[in-house]
Amino acid sequence: MDTENQRGRDGSQKRSPLDMIMNQLRRKTSFTERKKPSVGRFFRPSENNEKNNVSIPETKETEISEGKNSTQPETESGGVDPEICSVVGWGRVKQFVQKLGKTPDSESLNLSHCDLTATDLLELGTLLPFLAQLEVVDVSWNDLLGGSLQALTVHLQHVGRLKTLKLSGCRLTAEDLGALGEALDTVPLLEILDLSWNSGAGGGNLHCLTSHFGSAGALRELHVVDCQLSEADAMSVGEALPLVPCLEVLDLSSNPLVVRGRENVLSALGYTPHLRSLRLRMCGLDRASLAILGEQLQLLPALEHLDLSCNKESGGGFSAVVMSLSFLTHLRSLDMHSCCLTEENVLELAQVIPCLGDLTDLDLSSNKRVGGVLQTLLPGLPLSKMKRLHLSDCGLSHEAYHALATSMKSFTQLESLSLSWNKSVGTNLRWLLEPLQAGCKLQELGLCSCDLTTEDMLHLESACKRGAMSRLRLLDLSCNGGVGDGGWVSLFGEAGGLKELRELDVSLRPSTSLSASPWMPALLEALHQLPSLCHLALKRWALTPGEREKLQRTASKRNVGLEWDELAAPGIR
């Protein structure tokens, strides 16, 4: 998520005059002419390989590749053979896609991060007539496409079965949005539209698209994340919602909407009764807008996912929203991290939680006042259904922590638990881990900056030994400088109990530096017992040149990415 947000922020920056001139030159050059063979490493080949040659006779394709049909094939009567033409067209599609390091798929075209130019887009448009079965098009993160989207949209009439169109991070302009809007009636089955991280979609330009939403009646998902939406854009969204009554997912995250705009959007939510996912992360919601949202939530009985995180402007004014949650009996995911929740908000949440019997995902992280009253909330949670519980930086009191530890035996489906930056965990980790037995489904465990001790590591070692950590994929033990050398040695000694571990972080705080020499042999041995490990963070640990060489060599053989600092062990120059 952070990586994607960073890309979005980068894509939203204004270009310098030199950058604009260079981009204009590059836009006129196709991918092939610029010859960048390394592009393929950024892509994930299509998984539908079996569909790649649908309706493409092998013999005819071979003939074409051998140059036996250099012109349009004709039938005996002199007409053009449509079947042969189709084969020729598919050959062009394969050539175009393969030069970008991708595997052709007649139903899904993923060309994200391909550094496509306007010339490439023009060629792609001419290939659409040969992709009548196409359902997914993704050309995201090609920032040279801005201003040239019409070269593609004028050909969308040939892919009437299109259901998904992703255009994130393409520097779209008002002209692009207008061209897309005019083409909406040619793709009547379009269900998913993603315009995220296009600053040009904001600034009052969004209406160029939304004014055509009368032709997008099948639209089910609309993603407009971090598009710098203005008040006029938000008003356009509010006016468009009644035109897409089938909408199931609306994501307006990272758009700090101004008062009139966000109130207009929130007031129109009642026109989307089938909404299943509503994401308003970092939208600048205040008390007034939260009151409107509380009223509208009562009209969204199908809602399953609600993200209101990072709305600190509310000043704890979530009472109206919290009390309306009782109407969302199908709610599965609730994210309210970094919302300045008050103790009163948590007590109110405790009253409605029993109504949320389908809840599996709860994130209350970075709300300092949650930790003092969490014990009132836990009894109402559907513990046996919970899969994700994040309580990082919540100021967990010892009473709340022990209440959580007591409940651990009931979290039979829990996959992700984060308690980072809660000092009450230190010296008390055993109470959390002892209820966990072999077969535990836990996959992610966050214990960063929890004041862990050597004794805590011994209990984590014990959990590994009895198989309770056998499914763990991510383990964050960073910023716990209080763990002695013996603690790390004991943990690495039981690496065999972490066979599915993919990411391990044992970094120290930025202001700290310690020698890793006492436990480095144990780590090197552990790497041979961690077949799934792909990332190891050791920042601020000092190593000797010999240790660094051994670790780098071992990690390279195991294909493990290392994140470390160039620090020498004490006494080494």
Side-chain angles (χ1 to χ4, degrees):
M1 177 73 177
D2 291 339
T3 302
E4 199 169 11
N5 284 337
Q6 182 63 44
R7 288 172 180 158
R9 287 192 292 271
D10 293 344
S12 299
Q13 299 298 320
K14 293 183 179 179
R15 288 172 284 185
S16 67
L18 178 59
D19 187 28
M20 294 178 68
I21 294 173
M22 294 302 296
N23 280 353
Q24 286 296 323
L25 293 175
R26 295 174 68 209
R27 281 160 56 88
K28 296 178 181 179
T29 308
S30 72
F31 180 94
T32 304
E33 292 169 324
R34 282 183 279 117
K35 295 182 180 178
K36 294 190 176 181
S38 61
V39 169
R41 71 178 184 272
F42 294 107
F43 312 106
R44 178 178 302 167
S46 169
E47 296 176 358
N48 297 326
N49 293 329
E50 294 180 359
K51 300 174 182 177
N52 294 339
N53 296 311
V54 174
S55 300
I56 310 300
E58 194 65 34
T59 55
K60 293 180 180 178
E61 189 174 2
T62 303
E63 291 176 358
I64 295 168
S65 65
E66 294 175 351
K68 295 182 179 180
N69 291 293
S70 57
T71 59
Q72 274 193 335
E74 296 185 357
T75 62
E76 294 181 358
S77 59
V80 177
D81 187 334
E83 184 179 359
I84 300 298
C85 286
S86 176
V87 176
V88 173
W90 177 249
R92 289 180 55 201
V93 171
K94 290 181 65 176
Q95 183 180 29
F96 180 80
V97 174
Q98 288 174 344
K99 76 182 179 183
L100 299 174
K102 303 291 291 195
T103 301
D105 187 330
S106 61
E107 295 183 6
S108 179
L109 188 62
N110 182 356
L111 301 178
S112 64
H113 297 90
C114 279
D115 201 18
L116 297 176
T117 66
T119 302
D120 294 320
L121 198 65
L122 185 63
E123 181 179 355
L124 175 60
T126 64
L127 298 178
L128 292 187
F130 309 109
L131 290 166
Q133 306 302 312
L134 198 62
E135 295 185 0
V136 178
V137 172
D138 186 353
V139 292
S140 299
W141 306 110
N142 289 289
D143 63 4
L144 297 177
L145 299 186
S148 58
L149 191 63
Q150 188 176 17
L152 180 69
T153 59
V154 294
H155 296 284
L156 289 182
Q157 58 184 316
H158 300 293
V159 287
R161 298 180 60 175
L162 189 67
K163 294 182 179 180
T164 300
L165 180 58
K166 297 184 178 181
L167 298 163
S168 298
C170 288
R171 295 189 188 274
L172 298 183
T173 65
E175 291 75 16
D176 294 326
L177 296 175
L180 177 59
E182 293 174 358
L184 286 179
D185 60 350
T186 66
V187 282
L189 302 181
L190 189 66
E191 297 181 352
I192 301 174
L193 179 59
D194 193 342
L195 306 173
S196 300
W197 295 288
N198 282 291
S199 59
N205 295 329
L206 194 60
H207 76 93
C208 297
L209 171 66
T210 57
S211 60
H212 296 276
F213 267 19
S215 302
L219 196 64
R220 297 182 183 276
E221 295 188 20
L222 177 61
H223 302 264
V224 197
V225 178
D226 195 7
C227 285
Q228 300 182 21
L229 299 185
S230 65
E231 180 178 356
D233 297 315
M235 298 288 284
S236 297
V237 173
E239 294 169 359
L241 290 182
L243 303 178
V244 284
C246 295
L247 199 66
E248 296 180 359
V249 176
L250 177 61
D251 192 348
L252 299 176
S253 297
S254 301
N255 287 292
L257 306 176
V258 292
V259 178
R260 281 190 59 209
R262 63 173 175 256
E263 291 183 355
N264 186 273
V265 171
L266 296 174
S267 298
L269 290 176
Y271 292 101
T272 57
H274 302 291
L275 204 64
R276 295 187 297 105
S277 178
L278 177 61
R279 298 166 186 158
L280 299 172
R281 179 182 184 272
M282 203 184 301
C283 283
L285 302 182
D286 59 10
R287 288 177 178 267
S289 52
L290 287 173
I292 297 176
L293 176 59
E295 296 176 356
Q296 296 300 308
L297 287 180
Q298 300 178 31
L299 304 176
L300 305 175
L303 202 64
E304 297 179 3
H305 306 277
L306 179 60
D307 184 353
L308 302 176
S309 60
C310 302
N311 282 291
K312 300 181 179 180
E313 296 82 355
S314 63
F318 275 84
S319 294
V321 170
V322 170
M323 297 311 294
S324 294
L325 294 179
S326 59
F327 292 89
L328 309 180
T329 55
H330 298 292
L331 194 67
R332 296 167 53 194
S333 173
L334 177 61
D335 191 343
M336 300 179 75
H337 80 265
S338 298
C339 282
C340 296
L341 296 180
T342 65
E343 291 185 356
E344 182 181 2
N345 293 151
V346 180
L347 294 174
E348 292 168 342
L349 185 58
Q351 297 179 35
V352 301
I353 278 290
C355 301
L356 308 180
D358 291 338
L359 194 68
T360 62
D361 187 335
L362 179 62
D363 192 342
L364 299 177
S365 298
S366 300
N367 289 291
K368 296 285 188 179
R369 298 186 181 181
V370 168
V373 291
L374 181 68
Q375 62 272 22
T376 64
L377 180 66
L378 291 172
L381 287 174
L383 302 182
S384 62
K385 294 183 179 180
M386 295 297 297
K387 293 184 177 181
R388 182 174 179 268
L389 181 62
H390 285 199
L391 300 169
S392 297
D393 196 21
C394 281
L396 287 182
S397 65
H398 286 283
E399 183 181 1
Y401 175 74
H402 281 283
L404 175 63
T406 302
S407 303
M408 286 304 295
K409 61 179 179 296
S410 300
F411 284 106
T412 55
Q413 303 298 315
L414 196 63
E415 297 177 357
S416 179
L417 175 64
S418 180
L419 300 177
S420 297
W421 298 290
N422 284 295
K423 307 305 181 184
S424 59
V425 180
T427 72
N428 295 303
L429 189 59
R430 62 175 297 186
W431 305 114
L432 188 79
L433 298 178
E434 284 186 347
L436 305 180
Q437 299 301 319
C440 174
K441 296 186 178 182
L442 197 62
Q443 298 179 15
E444 299 179 359
L445 180 59
L447 297 172
C448 170
S449 191
C450 284
D451 281 356
L452 299 183
T453 65
T454 299
E455 184 180 357
D456 292 323
M457 287 297 102
L458 295 177
H459 290 294
L460 186 54
E461 171 201 11
S462 178
C464 292
K465 186 178 299 185
R466 65 174 178 271
M469 302 284 107
S470 61
R471 298 188 183 182
L472 205 63
R473 297 183 179 180
L474 183 151
L475 178 58
D476 187 355
L477 300 173
S478 60
C479 302
N480 284 292
V483 176
D485 296 332
W488 297 119
V489 170
S490 64
L491 175 62
F492 296 139
E494 283 300 327
L498 295 166
K499 289 193 178 298
E500 293 192 23
L501 192 66
R502 297 178 58 82
E503 299 182 45
L504 175 62
D505 193 344
V506 295
S507 301
L508 297 174
R509 290 185 175 86
S511 59
T512 307
S513 177
L514 296 173
S515 173
S517 297
W519 48 265
M520 185 52 58
L523 174 60
L524 292 172
E525 181 63 29
L527 290 179
H528 297 289
Q529 303 179 55
L530 298 172
S532 301
L533 192 67
C534 58
H535 181 81
L536 173 62
L538 297 159
K539 300 187 73 173
R540 270 84 62 181
W541 284 103
L543 289 75
T544 66
E547 290 167 346
R548 184 176 295 276
E549 181 182 352
K550 288 181 181 179
L551 180 57
Q552 199 160 24
R553 184 169 60 250
T554 304
S556 179
K557 289 181 180 180
R558 295 277 300 98
N559 199 26
V560 176
L562 293 176
E563 185 178 354
W564 57 5
D565 299 312
E566 295 292 335
L567 299 177
I572 303 297
R573 296 292 181 182

